[in-house]
Each structure stands twice: as structure tokens, then as C-alpha cells.
Amino acid sequence: MHTDAVHQSQFVLLNESTTPVLSRLSYHAHEPFAVTVAFRTERGRWIEWTFARDLLVAGLDEPAGLGDVRIRPDLSEDEDFLTLEIESPDGYASFELEIEDIRTFLEASYELVPLGEESAHFDVDGLIEEISNV
């Protein structure tokens, strides 16, 4: 069976809370530059953020990102974790993610679209059609 998506769920800690939050990382071959991270709220809704896969890659080894999404391996007290910071006009949240889980997720995404080959999998005509039909 061939799939064009990778999904990985895990529990993460929100803002140094002791209660874990269910999260889900997703990667779709038809959006080769992006990953989506979603967090399940207490009311059962999913809050999603989409950002560059390159940002996640860079954030494994050093602080990465400016603006709404930042990845900081230097903020976690445990070297096996990195901190994902998300900011919007509505607020701020930080999550601790296991680095090994992120590596596993990225390796699975590379099987769909190898790093550096995203452009070959990007449907520019489809994007133009989509934004033209607004």
C-alpha cells in the first residue's frame, strides 16, 4: 500500500504543565514544503499550525524560526527534548517534544519527499488554480 502522508501522534507537555496534551505531526507529499502540528484541546477540538519542514529540520540542532513558530532545543532542561514555541495575537504556548520522535517523523517524510527535492513534488499549477478560484 502506497501512502502520500505521514502522521505521528504523541503526548507533549504544554507550558511546563504536568498534564500531557495529545499532539499530531502530519506531512503530506502534495504539500512538500510544510508540516502541520496539531494539539487536542480539552473540548476535543484540534488546533493546527502549519510551518516549513526545513524549520523543523533546523530546530533539531539549534534554535530556529522567527515569528509565530520557533523551535528551541536549548530551552528544554532534558537534552532528549526540544521546545516548540507558538505565538499568535491570541496567545503563546510552548510544548516539549521528544527529539527522537521528531527524527523518526522526519525520516518517514523523507521517504515520501527527500529533503531538497520538494520543488519537484510541488504542483505550482494546482496552487495557481486554487488561489484563482477564490
Side-chain angles (χ1 to χ4, degrees):
M1 182 173 140
H2 177 71
T3 182
D4 67 346
V6 174
H7 303 283
Q8 178 177 302
S9 296
Q10 66 237 350
F11 285 99
V12 298
L13 294 178
L14 167 64
N15 295 339
E16 300 176 8
S17 170
T18 57
T19 305
V21 174
L22 182 61
S23 73
R24 179 184 62 225
L25 283 165
S26 300
Y27 179 81
H28 297 273
H30 66 273
E31 294 182 359
F33 292 102
V35 296
T36 299
V37 63
F39 303 98
R40 186 152 181 147
T41 68
E42 291 176 358
R43 296 183 180 160
R45 293 182 35 216
W46 288 93
I47 305 296
E48 294 186 339
W49 287 81
T50 301
F51 55 95
R53 179 171 71 165
D54 285 349
L55 177 63
L56 193 56
V57 172
L60 286 172
D61 299 315
E62 61 187 12
L66 299 171
D68 296 349
V69 180
R70 296 176 300 277
I71 300 173
R72 302 285 307 267
D74 59 330
L75 289 183
S76 297
E77 292 181 19
D78 186 330
E79 65 185 32
D80 293 332
F81 289 82
L82 58 79
T83 299
L84 171 64
E85 297 179 299
I86 298 174
E87 192 168 1
S88 77
D90 295 327
Y92 168 86
S94 67
F95 301 87
E96 286 198 339
L97 307 168
E98 285 192 55
I99 290 174
E100 194 55 41
D101 287 345
I102 301 300
R103 288 188 196 285
T104 300
F105 170 77
L106 286 171
E107 288 171 10
S109 79
Y110 301 156
E111 290 179 18
L112 294 178
V113 178
L115 194 60
E117 295 184 21
E118 294 89 351
S119 294
H121 295 266
F122 187 65
D123 181 8
V124 175
D125 293 332
L127 176 63
I128 292 170
E129 182 178 331
E130 181 181 327
I131 61 176
S132 298
N133 291 325
V134 174

